[in-house]
Amino acid sequence: MTQVEAPAWTPMSAQEREAFERDGYIVVPSVLSESEIAAGRAAILGYYDRVKAEGGALHQLSPVAHVPELAFLLDHPKAFKYIWSLLGWNVHVYHSHIDVHPQLHEKQKEWWHWHQDGGRQNREIETDPRPMMSVKLAYWFSDVSETGRGNFTVLPGSHKTNWLPGPPSRGVSWPQPEGAVQITANAGDLVVFDRRIWHARSDNYSDITRVGAFFGYTPRWIAIRDEVADLPAQPAWNGFSEVQKQLLGGFGAGDGDHQWGHYPETTPLYGALKERGLLDSSIPALIP
C-alpha cells in the first residue's frame, strides 16, 4: 500500500469553512506529496492501460475495488479533515470514481453536462435549498493549471440553487451557464465541493492527459452506490486501516442501528477523533 506522509490531524479552518459555505467549493493546494502523486498516477494509468478504455476515456466507478493501491486517498489526513469537519464521524464513501481523459482532436458540440450529485435526492427531497447530504474530494494527478484541459467546471454559489435553466432535453447543443468557472489546479491539489454545486467537466483539447480521483462521502444511513460488498473477501482488505474499512462499508455488518450512529464507541472514525481530542461539540455532526 502507498505510504502516506502523516501530519497531525487538524480541522478545517474558519476561513475555509466560510469560503466553502459561500461558494460551495474550495481549492486546497499541495495536498499530495510528489511521491503520492507519482504513486496515484501510476496506479490509475496502470489500470487504464490494463482495461484499454473504449474511446480513449475512462470513468471507473468503485476505484478501490479495482485499484486497492488508491485506498490511501480515502482518509489522507490533509484531505480527510474536510470530510469529518463538515460531516462528522458517522460517514462512509458512497460514490467514487477515477477518470482519465486524453486529448480531444476534434471540436466537440456544447452538450449540456451540468448536474448536481445525489441522483434521486434531487427529485425526492422537497426543501429549497435541499440539504448538503454529501461532500466530495477531487484529487488531481495531472496539470490542469490552465483552462481547456478537462477542468472541473462549477457555477460558484449555485449549491443553494435547486434548479438551473438548461436545454429542453438531452442531446440538444446548449451554451454553458453564465458565470461558469473552469477550476485550475496543479497535480497534487485538491478540490473539496458540496454535492449540490452545479458542475460539469470541460473538454480536454490539450496534449496533457487529464487524470483525477473523486471520492464522495455521506452519512452511513445513506446507502452506498459503489460496488464494495466483496472487498472484505479480497486479499487487500487486511492491509486497510480500521477507518478505511469503515469508509468502505465494512463496519456494522448491515446493522441499521450501527449505521444510524447508535454505537459511536465501536465506530473507528469516532475513536480516532476522540483519541486526538477533535470531537468539537460546536459541530453537531461531531457530537456522539
Side-chain angles (χ1 to χ4, degrees):
M1 292 296 171
T2 301
Q3 296 298 311
V4 176
E5 296 181 5
W9 287 30
T10 56
M12 68 187 301
S13 69
Q15 293 80 9
E16 289 172 324
R17 187 180 291 273
E18 179 183 4
F20 182 85
E21 292 177 351
R22 179 189 67 236
D23 299 329
Y25 74 97
I26 56 174
V27 181
V28 188
S30 304
V31 164
L32 300 179
S33 68
E34 291 299 325
S35 63
E36 290 165 349
I37 295 168
R41 181 179 174 86
I44 295 170
L45 291 180
Y47 178 76
Y48 174 76
D49 289 339
R50 290 195 299 276
V51 300
K52 302 295 183 184
E54 184 178 352
L58 173 73
H59 178 68
Q60 178 62 63
L61 305 181
S62 316
V64 173
H66 300 277
V67 191
E69 302 95 316
L70 297 177
F72 78 99
L73 299 173
L74 293 167
D75 59 345
H76 191 290
K78 290 184 178 180
F80 191 45
K81 62 191 267 185
Y82 299 103
I83 299 303
W84 56 260
S85 291
L86 291 162
L87 295 175
W89 50 268
N90 192 39
V91 295
H92 57 200
V93 172
Y94 80 109
H95 173 49
S96 56
H97 50 93
I98 49 175
D99 293 343
V100 178
H101 290 90
Q103 181 181 19
L104 292 170
H105 296 283
E106 296 181 2
K107 182 69 175 177
Q108 306 295 298
K109 289 185 178 180
E110 284 195 287
W111 300 120
W112 183 266
H113 297 297
W114 288 83
H115 65 283
Q116 294 173 308
D117 286 347
R120 293 201 64 84
Q121 291 175 352
N122 298 315
R123 292 182 180 271
E124 297 172 2
I125 295 176
E126 299 174 349
T127 61
D128 188 2
R130 287 181 284 265
M132 180 169 65
M133 305 293 285
S134 67
V135 175
K136 214 166 192 178
L137 302 180
Y139 293 93
W140 291 108
F141 292 96
S142 59
D143 181 358
V144 287
S145 61
E146 298 179 9
T147 59
R149 295 182 176 179
N151 304 66
F152 180 63
T153 306
V154 302
L155 197 59
S158 63
H159 57 304
K160 301 294 180 68
T161 301
N162 281 2
W163 181 78
L164 196 64
S169 64
R170 290 183 180 271
V172 177
S173 184
W174 203 263
Q176 301 293 307
E178 185 178 353
V181 173
Q182 291 190 31
I183 294 177
T184 55
N186 294 307
D189 290 355
L190 177 79
V191 181
V192 185
F193 63 99
D194 184 320
R195 65 108 194 152
R196 298 171 296 176
I197 195 168
W198 288 88
H199 61 280
R201 172 182 53 82
S202 70
D203 292 324
N204 181 17
Y205 295 108
S206 76
D207 59 1
I208 296 174
T209 297
R210 174 192 192 260
V211 183
F214 296 72
F215 295 87
Y217 301 75
T218 198
R220 292 169 67 226
W221 38 264
I222 293 175
I224 292 178
R225 178 186 177 188
D226 281 355
E227 296 180 358
V228 292
D230 293 337
L231 267 178
Q234 301 304 316
W237 185 257
N238 290 332
F240 297 155
S241 71
E242 296 303 287
V243 169
Q244 289 171 347
K245 291 176 181 178
Q246 172 188 325
L247 297 175
L248 292 168
F251 270 81
D255 180 345
D257 278 350
H258 203 288
Q259 292 171 330
W260 276 37
H262 291 327
Y263 302 106
E265 296 294 343
T266 57
T267 304
L269 181 54
Y270 175 88
L273 293 170
K274 182 178 180 180
E275 178 184 344
R276 293 167 173 81
L278 292 170
L279 294 173
D280 185 347
S281 61
S282 69
I283 301 173
L286 287 174
I287 299 174

